[in-house]
Amino acid sequence: MRDLTLEERQELRRELSAVTAHWAQRLNDVDVDARRREDHQPSAAQRMRTHLARMTAGEQMRSLLADLVSANAEEAVQYGAGYPELGAAVGASRQAARKRWPNLSISKRRASEWKQPPGGIGWAGEHLGYPGTPGAA
């Protein structure tokens, strides 16, 4: 994966700004007819409400995006991603990814994939009585 270029970041910012403005209009109780009149100049109070509504919409988007990122992390793990890959995807370290998503089943899945050393568990299996080893009681 690659990072967004400066131009792509600007494009994404414009698109997110448009979505935020759209949802802010839905959240803001501004008179629709007043907005449609060309000669209408919004008051300072109306402008303030508009910006506060955009902030509200932006915070809701931030929360929803965090949920989407976490859901995608869970799905990536199902397809074999580990903490190093999750961290790289969000520009963080393996340790930061582990701290961000501590309850993912990465360690359980990875532990079940570990291979036994050549010859099985060897001496420990034989002398400590592990099931399935020659000489186990």
Side-chain angles (χ1 to χ4, degrees), residues 1 3 14 17 26 31 37-39 41 44 49 53 56 69 74 77 83 89 91 93 97 108 113-114 119 135 137:
M1 281 175 275
D3 287 340
R14 282 190 299 272
S17 181
R26 290 182 66 172
D31 182 12
R37 281 186 259 143
E38 292 179 19
D39 62 339
Q41 289 293 324
R49 280 194 310 271
T56 300
V69 169
E74 289 176 19
V77 167
Y83 286 119
S93 67
K108 292 176 188 171
E113 295 172 355
W114 290 344

Side-chain angles (χ1 to χ4, degrees), residues 78-90:
Q78 291 176 2
Y79 291 101
Y83 286 119
E85 293 86 4
L86 296 178
V90 296

Side-chain angles (χ1 to χ4, degrees), residues 1-133:
M1 281 175 275
R2 65 174 179 83
D3 287 340
L4 295 175
T5 65
L6 179 61
E7 293 80 22
E8 289 170 329
R9 287 182 60 83
Q10 290 171 341
E11 179 183 352
L12 183 57
R13 184 182 185 92
R14 282 190 299 272
E15 290 174 9
L16 287 173
S17 181
V19 169
T20 303
H22 168 77
W23 280 97
Q25 282 182 341
R26 290 182 66 172
L27 295 173
N28 202 354
D29 294 329
V30 175
D31 182 12
V32 175
D33 292 328
R35 273 190 280 124
R36 290 184 180 162
R37 281 186 259 143
E38 292 179 19
D39 62 339
H40 174 72
Q41 289 293 324
S43 69
Q46 288 171 323
R47 288 179 185 201
M48 178 189 66
R49 280 194 310 271
T50 297
H51 289 287
L52 292 172
R54 287 181 182 182
M55 288 174 63
T56 300
E59 281 301 309
Q60 293 294 318
M61 288 170 54
R62 181 193 316 253
S63 174
L64 290 169
L65 284 171
D67 292 345
L68 285 171
V69 169
S70 292
N72 280 295
E74 289 176 19
E75 289 184 29
V77 167
Q78 291 176 2
Y79 291 101
Y83 286 119
E85 293 86 4
L86 296 178
V90 296
S93 67
R94 174 191 59 79
Q95 295 88 344
R98 187 178 179 100
K99 186 174 182 179
R100 186 170 177 179
W101 298 290
N103 297 322
L104 294 179
S105 60
I106 292 173
S107 58
K108 292 176 188 171
R109 181 186 50 78
R110 291 264 168 113
S112 69
E113 295 172 355
W114 290 344
K115 296 182 179 177
Q116 292 293 325
I121 54 176
W123 179 88
E126 294 173 13
H127 296 292
L128 298 177
Y130 286 111
T133 57

